[in-house]
Coordinates of all heavy atoms in Angstrom, one line a residue:
M1 N -3.0 3.6 10.3 CA -3.5 2.5 11.0 C -4.5 1.6 10.2 O -5.2 2.2 9.4 CB -4.3 3.0 12.2 CG -4.4 2.1 13.4 SD -2.8 1.4 13.8 CE -3.1 1.1 15.5
P2 N -4.5 0.3 10.3 CA -5.3 -0.5 9.4 C -6.8 -0.3 9.6 O -7.2 0.2 10.7 CB -4.9 -1.9 9.9 CG -3.7 -1.8 10.7 CD -3.6 -0.4 11.2
A3 N -7.5 -0.6 8.6 CA -9.0 -0.6 8.7 C -9.4 -1.5 9.9 O -8.8 -2.4 10.2 CB -9.6 -1.0 7.4
E4 N -10.6 -1.2 10.4 CA -11.1 -1.9 11.6 C -11.2 -3.4 11.4 O -11.1 -4.2 12.3 CB -12.4 -1.3 12.1 CG -12.2 0.0 12.8 CD -13.5 0.6 13.3 OE1 -14.4 -0.2 13.5 OE2 -13.6 1.8 13.5
D5 N -11.5 -3.8 10.1 CA -11.8 -5.2 9.9 C -10.5 -5.9 9.4 O -10.6 -7.1 8.9 CB -12.9 -5.4 8.9 CG -12.6 -4.7 7.6 OD1 -11.7 -3.9 7.5 OD2 -13.4 -5.0 6.6
S6 N -9.4 -5.3 9.4 CA -8.1 -5.9 8.9 C -6.9 -5.5 9.8 O -6.9 -4.5 10.3 CB -7.9 -5.5 7.5 OG -6.6 -5.9 7.0
D7 N -6.0 -6.5 9.9 CA -4.8 -6.2 10.6 C -3.7 -5.9 9.7 O -2.5 -5.7 10.1 CB -4.4 -7.5 11.4 CG -5.3 -7.8 12.6 OD1 -6.0 -6.9 13.0 OD2 -5.2 -8.9 13.1
I8 N -4.0 -5.7 8.4 CA -3.0 -5.4 7.4 C -2.9 -3.9 7.2 O -3.9 -3.2 7.1 CB -3.4 -6.0 6.0 CG1 -3.6 -7.6 6.1 CG2 -2.4 -5.7 4.9 CD1 -2.3 -8.3 6.5
H9 N -1.6 -3.4 7.2 CA -1.4 -2.0 7.0 C -0.5 -1.8 5.8 O 0.5 -2.6 5.6 CB -0.7 -1.4 8.3 CG -0.1 -0.1 8.1 ND1 -0.9 1.0 7.8 CD2 1.2 0.4 8.1 CE1 -0.1 2.1 7.6 NE2 1.2 1.7 7.8
C10 N -0.8 -0.9 4.9 CA 0.0 -0.6 3.7 C 1.0 0.5 4.1 O 0.5 1.6 4.5 CB -0.9 -0.2 2.6 SG 0.0 0.1 1.1
R11 N 2.2 0.3 3.9 CA 3.3 1.3 4.2 C 3.6 2.1 3.0 O 4.8 2.6 2.8 CB 4.5 0.5 4.7 CG 4.3 -0.2 6.0 CD 5.6 -0.8 6.5 NE 6.6 0.2 6.8 CZ 7.7 0.4 6.1 NH1 8.1 -0.5 5.2 NH2 8.6 1.3 6.4
L12 N 2.7 2.3 2.0 CA 3.0 3.0 0.8 C 3.5 4.4 1.0 O 4.5 4.9 0.4 CB 1.8 3.0 -0.1 CG 1.9 3.5 -1.5 CD1 3.1 2.8 -2.2 CD2 0.6 3.4 -2.3
D13 N 2.9 5.1 2.0 CA 3.4 6.5 2.3 C 4.9 6.5 2.7 O 5.6 7.3 2.2 CB 2.6 7.1 3.5 CG 1.5 8.0 3.0 OD1 1.5 8.4 1.8 OD2 0.6 8.4 3.8
E14 N 5.2 5.6 3.6 CA 6.6 5.6 4.1 C 7.6 5.2 3.0 O 8.7 5.8 2.9 CB 6.7 4.6 5.2 CG 5.9 4.9 6.5 CD 4.6 4.0 6.5 OE1 3.7 4.3 5.7 OE2 4.5 3.1 7.4
L15 N 7.2 4.3 2.1 CA 8.1 3.9 1.1 C 8.2 5.0 0.0 O 9.3 5.2 -0.5 CB 7.6 2.6 0.4 CG 7.6 1.3 1.3 CD1 6.9 0.2 0.7 CD2 9.0 1.0 1.6
L16 N 7.2 5.6 -0.3 CA 7.2 6.8 -1.3 C 8.1 7.9 -0.7 O 9.0 8.4 -1.4 CB 5.8 7.3 -1.6 CG 4.9 6.4 -2.4 CD1 3.5 7.0 -2.4 CD2 5.5 6.4 -3.8
E17 N 7.9 8.2 0.5 CA 8.7 9.3 1.1 C 10.2 8.9 1.2 O 11.1 9.7 0.8 CB 8.3 9.6 2.6 CG 9.0 10.7 3.2 CD 8.5 11.0 4.6 OE1 7.3 10.7 4.9 OE2 9.3 11.6 5.4
A18 N 10.5 7.7 1.5 CA 11.9 7.2 1.5 C 12.6 7.3 0.2 O 13.8 7.4 0.1 CB 12.0 5.8 2.1
R19 N 11.8 7.2 -0.9 CA 12.3 7.2 -2.2 C 12.2 8.5 -2.9 O 12.5 8.7 -4.1 CB 11.7 6.1 -3.0 CG 12.2 4.7 -2.6 CD 11.2 3.6 -2.8 NE 11.8 2.3 -2.4 CZ 11.8 1.9 -1.1 NH1 11.4 2.6 -0.1 NH2 12.3 0.7 -0.9
G20 N 11.6 9.5 -2.2 CA 11.4 10.8 -2.8 C 10.4 10.8 -4.0 O 10.6 11.5 -5.0
M21 N 9.4 9.9 -3.9 CA 8.5 9.7 -5.1 C 7.1 10.2 -4.6 O 6.8 10.0 -3.4 CB 8.5 8.3 -5.5 CG 7.6 8.0 -6.7 SD 7.6 6.2 -7.1 CE 9.0 6.1 -8.2
T22 N 6.3 10.7 -5.5 CA 4.9 11.0 -5.2 C 4.0 9.9 -5.6 O 4.4 9.1 -6.4 CB 4.5 12.3 -5.9 OG1 4.5 12.1 -7.3 CG2 5.4 13.5 -5.6
L23 N 2.8 10.0 -5.1 CA 1.8 9.0 -5.5 C 1.4 9.1 -7.0 O 1.2 8.2 -7.6 CB 0.5 9.2 -4.6 CG -0.5 8.0 -4.5 CD1 0.2 6.8 -3.9 CD2 -1.7 8.4 -3.7
T24 N 1.4 10.4 -7.4 CA 1.2 10.6 -8.9 C 2.2 10.0 -9.7 O 1.9 9.4 -10.8 CB 1.1 12.1 -9.1 OG1 0.1 12.7 -8.3 CG2 0.8 12.4 -10.6
E25 N 3.5 10.1 -9.4 CA 4.6 9.5 -10.1 C 4.5 8.0 -10.1 O 4.6 7.3 -11.1 CB 6.0 9.9 -9.5 CG 6.3 11.3 -9.7 CD 7.5 11.8 -8.9 OE1 7.8 11.2 -7.8 OE2 8.2 12.7 -9.4
L26 N 4.1 7.4 -8.9 CA 3.9 6.0 -8.9 C 2.8 5.5 -9.8 O 2.9 4.5 -10.5 CB 3.7 5.5 -7.4 CG 3.5 4.0 -7.2 CD1 4.8 3.3 -7.6 CD2 3.1 3.7 -5.8
S27 N 1.7 6.3 -9.7 CA 0.6 5.9 -10.6 C 0.9 5.9 -12.0 O 0.6 4.9 -12.7 CB -0.5 7.0 -10.3 OG -1.6 6.8 -11.2
K28 N 1.7 6.8 -12.5 CA 2.1 6.9 -13.9 C 3.1 5.7 -14.2 O 3.0 5.1 -15.3 CB 2.8 8.2 -14.2 CG 1.8 9.4 -14.3 CD 2.5 10.7 -14.5 CE 1.5 11.8 -14.4 NZ 2.1 13.1 -14.5
T29 N 3.9 5.4 -13.3 CA 4.9 4.3 -13.5 C 4.3 3.0 -13.5 O 4.6 2.1 -14.4 CB 6.0 4.4 -12.3 OG1 6.6 5.6 -12.3 CG2 7.0 3.3 -12.5
V30 N 3.3 2.7 -12.7 CA 2.8 1.3 -12.6 C 1.5 1.2 -13.4 O 1.0 0.1 -13.5 CB 2.5 0.9 -11.1 CG1 3.9 0.8 -10.4 CG2 1.5 1.8 -10.4
G31 N 0.9 2.3 -13.8 CA -0.4 2.2 -14.6 C -1.6 1.9 -13.8 O -2.5 1.2 -14.3
V32 N -1.6 2.3 -12.5 CA -2.7 2.1 -11.6 C -3.2 3.5 -11.3 O -2.4 4.4 -11.1 CB -2.3 1.4 -10.3 CG1 -3.4 1.3 -9.3 CG2 -1.8 0.0 -10.7
S33 N -4.5 3.7 -11.3 CA -5.1 5.0 -11.1 C -4.7 5.6 -9.7 O -4.5 4.9 -8.8 CB -6.6 5.0 -11.2 OG -7.2 4.4 -10.0
L34 N -4.6 6.9 -9.7 CA -4.3 7.6 -8.5 C -5.3 7.3 -7.4 O -5.0 7.1 -6.2 CB -4.3 9.1 -8.8 CG -3.7 10.0 -7.7 CD1 -2.3 9.6 -7.4 CD2 -3.7 11.5 -8.3
V35 N -6.6 7.2 -7.8 CA -7.7 6.8 -6.8 C -7.4 5.5 -6.2 O -7.5 5.3 -5.0 CB -9.1 6.9 -7.5 CG1 -10.1 6.3 -6.6 CG2 -9.4 8.3 -7.9
N36 N -7.1 4.5 -7.0 CA -6.9 3.1 -6.5 C -5.6 3.1 -5.6 O -5.7 2.4 -4.5 CB -6.8 2.1 -7.6 CG -8.1 1.8 -8.2 OD1 -9.1 2.0 -7.6 ND2 -8.1 1.2 -9.4
L37 N -4.6 3.8 -5.9 CA -3.4 3.8 -5.1 C -3.7 4.5 -3.8 O -3.2 4.1 -2.7 CB -2.2 4.5 -5.8 CG -1.6 3.7 -6.9 CD1 -0.5 4.5 -7.5 CD2 -1.0 2.4 -6.4
S38 N -4.5 5.6 -3.8 CA -4.9 6.3 -2.6 C -5.7 5.4 -1.7 O -5.5 5.4 -0.5 CB -5.7 7.5 -3.0 OG -6.1 8.3 -1.9
V39 N -6.6 4.6 -2.2 CA -7.4 3.7 -1.4 C -6.5 2.7 -0.7 O -6.6 2.4 0.5 CB -8.4 2.9 -2.3 CG1 -9.0 1.7 -1.6 CG2 -9.5 3.9 -2.7
L40 N -5.5 2.2 -1.5 CA -4.5 1.3 -0.9 C -3.7 1.9 0.2 O -3.5 1.4 1.3 CB -3.6 0.7 -2.0 CG -2.5 -0.3 -1.6 CD1 -3.1 -1.5 -1.0 CD2 -1.6 -0.6 -2.8
K41 N -3.2 3.1 -0.1 CA -2.3 3.9 0.8 C -3.0 4.2 2.1 O -2.4 4.2 3.2 CB -1.9 5.2 0.1 CG -1.1 6.1 1.0 CD -0.8 7.4 0.2 CE -1.9 8.4 0.2 NZ -2.1 9.2 1.3
N42 N -4.3 4.4 2.1 CA -5.1 4.8 3.3 C -5.8 3.6 3.9 O -6.7 3.7 4.7 CB -6.1 5.8 2.9 CG -5.5 7.1 2.5 OD1 -4.7 7.7 3.3 ND2 -5.8 7.7 1.4
D43 N -5.3 2.4 3.6 CA -5.8 1.1 4.3 C -7.3 0.9 4.1 O -7.9 0.4 4.9 CB -5.4 1.1 5.7 CG -3.9 1.0 6.0 OD1 -3.2 0.3 5.2 OD2 -3.5 1.5 7.0
R44 N -7.8 1.3 2.9 CA -9.2 1.1 2.7 C -9.4 0.0 1.6 O -10.6 -0.3 1.2 CB -9.9 2.4 2.2 CG -9.9 3.4 3.4 CD -10.8 4.6 3.1 NE -10.6 5.1 1.7 CZ -9.9 6.2 1.5 NH1 -9.3 6.9 2.4 NH2 -9.8 6.7 0.2
A45 N -8.4 -0.5 1.0 CA -8.5 -1.5 0.0 C -9.0 -2.8 0.6 O -8.6 -3.2 1.7 CB -7.1 -1.8 -0.7
R46 N -9.9 -3.5 -0.2 CA -10.5 -4.7 0.3 C -9.7 -5.9 -0.4 O -9.8 -7.0 0.0 CB -11.9 -4.8 -0.1 CG -12.8 -3.6 0.5 CD -13.0 -3.7 1.9 NE -14.1 -4.5 2.3 CZ -14.2 -5.1 3.4 NH1 -13.3 -4.9 4.4 NH2 -15.2 -5.9 3.7
A47 N -9.1 -5.6 -1.5 CA -8.4 -6.6 -2.3 C -7.3 -5.9 -3.2 O -7.4 -4.7 -3.4 CB -9.3 -7.4 -3.2
I48 N -6.3 -6.7 -3.6 CA -5.3 -6.2 -4.5 C -4.8 -7.3 -5.4 O -4.6 -8.4 -4.9 CB -4.1 -5.5 -3.7 CG1 -3.1 -4.9 -4.7 CG2 -3.5 -6.5 -2.7 CD1 -2.1 -4.0 -4.0
R49 N -4.7 -7.0 -6.6 CA -4.2 -8.0 -7.6 C -2.7 -8.3 -7.4 O -1.9 -7.3 -7.1 CB -4.4 -7.6 -9.0 CG -5.9 -7.5 -9.3 CD -6.1 -6.9 -10.7 NE -7.5 -6.7 -10.9 CZ -8.1 -7.0 -12.0 NH1 -7.5 -7.4 -13.1 NH2 -9.4 -6.7 -12.1
F50 N -2.3 -9.5 -7.6 CA -0.8 -9.8 -7.6 C -0.1 -9.0 -8.6 O 1.1 -8.6 -8.3 CB -0.6 -11.3 -7.8 CG -1.0 -12.2 -6.6 CD1 -1.5 -13.4 -6.9 CD2 -0.9 -11.7 -5.3 CE1 -1.8 -14.3 -5.8 CE2 -1.2 -12.6 -4.3 CZ -1.7 -13.8 -4.5
S51 N -0.7 -8.8 -9.7 CA 0.0 -8.0 -10.8 C 0.3 -6.5 -10.3 O 1.3 -5.9 -10.6 CB -0.7 -8.0 -12.1 OG -2.0 -7.5 -11.9
T52 N -0.7 -6.0 -9.6 CA -0.6 -4.6 -9.0 C 0.5 -4.6 -7.9 O 1.4 -3.7 -7.9 CB -1.9 -4.1 -8.5 OG1 -2.9 -4.1 -9.5 CG2 -1.8 -2.7 -7.9
L53 N 0.5 -5.6 -7.1 CA 1.5 -5.7 -6.0 C 2.9 -5.8 -6.7 O 3.9 -5.1 -6.2 CB 1.3 -7.0 -5.2 CG 0.4 -6.8 -4.0 CD1 0.3 -8.2 -3.3 CD2 0.9 -5.8 -3.0
T54 N 3.1 -6.6 -7.7 CA 4.3 -6.8 -8.3 C 4.8 -5.5 -9.0 O 6.0 -5.1 -8.8 CB 4.2 -7.9 -9.4 OG1 3.8 -9.1 -8.8 CG2 5.5 -8.1 -10.2
A55 N 3.9 -4.8 -9.6 CA 4.3 -3.5 -10.3 C 4.7 -2.5 -9.3 O 5.7 -1.7 -9.5 CB 3.1 -3.0 -11.1
I56 N 4.0 -2.4 -8.2 CA 4.3 -1.4 -7.1 C 5.7 -1.8 -6.5 O 6.5 -0.9 -6.4 CB 3.2 -1.3 -6.0 CG1 1.9 -0.7 -6.6 CG2 3.7 -0.6 -4.8 CD1 0.7 -0.9 -5.7
C57 N 5.9 -3.0 -6.2 CA 7.1 -3.4 -5.6 C 8.3 -3.2 -6.6 O 9.4 -2.8 -6.1 CB 7.1 -4.9 -5.1 SG 6.0 -5.1 -3.7
D58 N 8.1 -3.5 -7.8 CA 9.1 -3.3 -8.8 C 9.5 -1.8 -8.9 O 10.7 -1.4 -8.9 CB 8.7 -3.8 -10.2 CG 8.7 -5.3 -10.3 OD1 9.3 -6.0 -9.4 OD2 8.2 -5.8 -11.3
A59 N 8.5 -0.9 -8.9 CA 8.7 0.5 -9.0 C 9.4 1.1 -7.8 O 10.2 2.0 -7.9 CB 7.4 1.2 -9.3
L60 N 9.1 0.5 -6.6 CA 9.7 1.0 -5.4 C 10.9 0.2 -4.9 O 11.6 0.6 -4.0 CB 8.6 0.9 -4.3 CG 7.4 1.8 -4.4 CD1 6.4 1.6 -3.3 CD2 7.8 3.3 -4.5
G61 N 11.3 -0.8 -5.7 CA 12.4 -1.6 -5.3 C 12.3 -2.3 -4.0 O 13.2 -2.2 -3.1
C62 N 11.1 -2.8 -3.7 CA 10.9 -3.4 -2.4 C 10.2 -4.8 -2.6 O 9.9 -5.2 -3.7 CB 10.0 -2.5 -1.5 SG 8.3 -2.4 -2.1
Q63 N 10.0 -5.5 -1.5 CA 9.3 -6.7 -1.4 C 7.9 -6.5 -0.9 O 7.6 -5.5 -0.2 CB 10.1 -7.7 -0.5 CG 11.5 -8.1 -0.9 CD 11.5 -8.8 -2.2 OE1 10.7 -9.8 -2.4 NE2 12.3 -8.4 -3.1
V64 N 7.0 -7.5 -1.1 CA 5.6 -7.4 -0.7 C 5.6 -7.1 0.8 O 4.8 -6.3 1.4 CB 4.8 -8.6 -1.1 CG1 3.4 -8.5 -0.4 CG2 4.7 -8.7 -2.6
G65 N 6.5 -7.8 1.6 CA 6.5 -7.7 3.0 C 7.0 -6.3 3.5 O 6.8 -5.9 4.7
D66 N 7.6 -5.5 2.6 CA 8.0 -4.2 2.9 C 6.8 -3.2 2.8 O 6.7 -2.2 3.5 CB 9.1 -3.6 2.0 CG 10.4 -4.5 2.1 OD1 10.7 -4.9 3.2 OD2 11.0 -4.7 1.1
L67 N 5.9 -3.6 1.9 CA 4.7 -2.8 1.5 C 3.6 -3.1 2.5 O 2.9 -2.2 2.9 CB 4.3 -3.0 0.1 CG 3.1 -2.3 -0.5 CD1 3.4 -0.8 -0.5 CD2 2.8 -2.8 -1.9
L68 N 3.3 -4.4 2.7 CA 2.2 -4.8 3.5 C 2.6 -5.4 4.8 O 3.4 -6.4 4.7 CB 1.3 -5.7 2.7 CG 0.7 -5.2 1.4 CD1 -0.1 -6.3 0.7 CD2 -0.2 -4.0 1.7
V69 N 2.2 -4.9 5.9 CA 2.6 -5.5 7.2 C 1.4 -5.8 8.0 O 0.4 -5.2 7.9 CB 3.6 -4.6 7.9 CG1 4.9 -4.4 7.2 CG2 3.0 -3.2 8.2
V70 N 1.6 -6.7 9.0 CA 0.5 -7.1 9.9 C 0.7 -6.3 11.1 O 1.8 -6.2 11.7 CB 0.5 -8.6 10.2 CG1 -0.5 -8.9 11.3 CG2 0.3 -9.4 9.0
V71 N -0.3 -5.5 11.5 CA -0.3 -4.7 12.8 C -1.4 -5.3 13.7 O -2.6 -5.0 13.4 CB -0.6 -3.2 12.5 CG1 -0.5 -2.4 13.7 CG2 0.5 -2.7 11.5
P72 N -1.0 -6.1 14.7 CA -2.1 -6.7 15.5 C -2.9 -5.6 16.2 O -2.4 -4.6 16.7 CB -1.3 -7.5 16.5 CG 0.0 -7.7 15.9 CD 0.3 -6.5 15.0
R73 N -4.2 -5.9 16.2 CA -5.1 -5.0 16.9 C -5.1 -5.3 18.4 O -4.9 -6.4 18.8 CB -6.6 -5.2 16.4 CG -6.8 -4.6 15.0 CD -8.2 -4.9 14.6 NE -8.2 -6.2 14.0 CZ -9.3 -6.8 13.6 NH1 -10.5 -6.3 13.8 NH2 -9.2 -8.0 13.0
A74 N -5.4 -4.3 19.2 CA -5.5 -4.5 20.7 C -6.8 -5.4 20.9 O -7.8 -5.1 20.4 CB -5.6 -3.2 21.4
R75 N -6.6 -6.5 21.6 CA -7.7 -7.4 21.8 C -8.2 -7.2 23.2 O -7.5 -7.0 24.2 CB -7.3 -8.9 21.7 CG -6.6 -9.2 20.4 CD -7.6 -9.4 19.3 NE -6.8 -9.8 18.1 CZ -7.2 -9.5 16.9 NH1 -8.2 -8.8 16.7 NH2 -6.5 -9.9 15.9
P76 N -9.6 -7.2 23.4 CA -10.1 -7.0 24.8 C -9.8 -8.0 25.8 O -9.4 -9.1 25.5 CB -11.6 -6.9 24.5 CG -11.9 -7.4 23.2 CD -10.6 -7.4 22.4

């Protein structure tokens, strides 16, 4: 579920599972630390570089819209 201050959800877990890849393998492939990928995966990232998005999408064979989705929050 997205962080409370954002409607953006990162589907990294689902994409990794669908491709039979681990976060560690992705980290080595894209050159992004395991800690930073974990922050992204757990919807705690506050920002992401376009170059990082491109590298992740290239490694997973997906589009940015497959990785990041909008999940509307319940409004009072």
Side-chain angles (χ1 to χ4, degrees):
M1 203 52 151
E4 287 183 23
D5 60 346
S6 174
D7 291 342
I8 303 296
H9 168 63
C10 181
R11 297 185 59 245
L12 191 53
D13 260 349
E14 298 100 288
L15 293 171
L16 287 170
E17 184 177 335
R19 286 150 180 82
M21 183 183 270
T22 66
L23 199 62
T24 301
E25 291 169 329
L26 182 63
S27 173
K28 290 176 183 174
T29 301
V30 299
V32 175
S33 76
L34 194 55
V35 170
N36 285 342
L37 287 178
S38 181
V39 167
L40 181 63
K41 177 180 77 84
N42 292 307
D43 292 326
R44 292 191 316 260
R46 307 288 278 155
I48 184 169
R49 293 175 188 223
F50 287 147
S51 59
T52 301
L53 273 177
T54 301
I56 291 170
C57 289
D58 287 349
L60 295 176
C62 69
Q63 298 293 313
V64 174
D66 300 323
L67 180 64
L68 300 174
V69 295
V70 176
V71 180
R73 289 179 271 175
R75 306 282 186 214

